[in-house]
Amino acid sequence: ETGVTQSPTHLIKTRGQQVTLRCSSQSGHNTVSWYQQALGQGPQFIFQYYREEENGRGNFPPRFSGLQFPNYSSELNVNALELDDSALYLCASSLAGRSYNEQFFGPGTRLTVL
Amino acid sequence: AQTVTQSQPEMSVQEAETVTLSCTYDTSESDYYLFWYKQPPSRQMILVIRQEAYKQQNATENRFSVNFQKAAKSFSLKISDSQLGDAAMYFCAYRSAGGANSKLTFGKGITLSVRP
């Protein structure tokens, strides 16, 4: 069973640029959630995708957008990067449809905005 | 909106001793899940233990157990026989049971160090 993977591991961008982060779900999972974890803080929910549709969104501006593909992998896109976007971005996959569906986290992408 | 509070930023424990990590939460819902996650340095976040709000019995997983006080909205984690590998950041998290998605609301976390 393949776990959740994310790419790239680290990324450095400058303010105003755009970035795309990628996530491959654990085998058999159909739901992906994205979280932003600022240094020394807990993760904050960005949004969730289920069967290629956005299925809930946290308090993040529209310049944070996402996609989920038919194979359930996912992308997080951030436009017009700001310094405060510097953080660890985590994705988590799960299998919807059960009464309880554990989320399995990837190792994260560390984004630095200069 | 639900909130999760972890007021202790750091704790330290001697190897083989017991430590308790505190967490409080606020919600108007009656059915939900509570979790403790472990995030080792530069490693993936993993689930340590979960508690269903409708269950009165406290969850236990080997050396890890919780003290769930629903009326007080308190959810503490007890680690028995602490090991060096327990050193990590620990997050308390909340999830609605009936929501349309499985959004987790996390606390700020607590850094646990284990002294040899």
Side-chain angles (χ1 to χ4, degrees), chain A residues 17-58:
Chain A
Q17 286 189 311
Q18 177 266 343
V19 68
T20 298
L21 310 182
R22 295 177 174 82
C23 172
S24 289
S25 302
Q26 182 162 313
S27 178
H29 286 181
N30 56 15
T31 302
V32 174
S33 302
W34 285 92
Y35 294 84
Q36 180 195 65
Q37 185 178 10
L39 195 62
Q41 301 293 316
Q44 288 199 314
F45 177 74
I46 302 175
F47 43 56
Q48 181 176 93
Y49 277 81
Y50 170 62
R51 292 186 175 178
E52 304 177 55
E53 296 284 333
E54 188 178 289
N55 181 34
R57 188 179 184 92

Side-chain angles (χ1 to χ4, degrees), chain A residues 59-97:
Chain A
N59 188 25
F60 281 82
R63 58 189 187 83
F64 285 78
S65 63
L67 284 173
Q68 186 182 32
F69 300 99
N71 66 354
Y72 302 127
S73 66
S74 177
E75 287 182 354
L76 164 65
N77 299 290
V78 187
N79 294 322
L81 284 167
E82 300 177 0
L83 297 180
D84 284 349
D85 296 334
S86 295
L88 180 67
Y89 288 85
L90 300 169
C91 82
S93 74
S94 57
L95 178 61

Side-chain angles (χ1 to χ4, degrees), chain B residues 10-112:
Chain B
E10 296 179 356
M11 286 199 74
S12 180
V13 63
Q14 191 76 33
E15 195 176 5
E17 296 294 310
T18 296
V19 65
T20 298
L21 311 183
S22 301
C23 172
T24 58
Y25 60 95
D26 190 26
T27 183
S28 58
E29 299 175 331
S30 59
D31 198 12
Y32 48 87
Y33 300 100
L34 294 167
F35 308 88
W36 279 97
Y37 280 89
K38 173 185 178 181
Q39 189 177 41
S42 302
R43 292 183 62 187
Q44 286 171 248
M45 189 171 305
I46 57 172
L47 178 65
V48 174
I49 197 166
R50 79 167 188 270
Q51 174 78 41
E52 289 92 338
Y54 67 87
K55 290 187 176 179
Q56 292 187 333
Q57 186 172 6
N58 289 323
T60 299
E61 288 286 344
N62 300 314
R63 299 183 295 108
F64 299 88
S65 61
V66 298
N67 183 5
F68 173 48
Q69 302 289 328
K70 191 172 184 179
K73 295 180 182 174
S74 169
F75 182 61
S76 61
L77 174 70
K78 186 171 81 171
I79 306 174
S80 303
D81 186 25
S82 296
Q83 300 175 0
L84 295 178
D86 294 333
M89 199 151 184
Y90 286 81
F91 293 97
C92 178
Y94 172 103
R95 199 198 105 186
S96 297
N101 59 63
S102 51
K103 165 190 173 183
L104 290 167
T105 300
F106 287 88
K108 288 188 175 182
I110 178 170
T111 301
L112 177 67

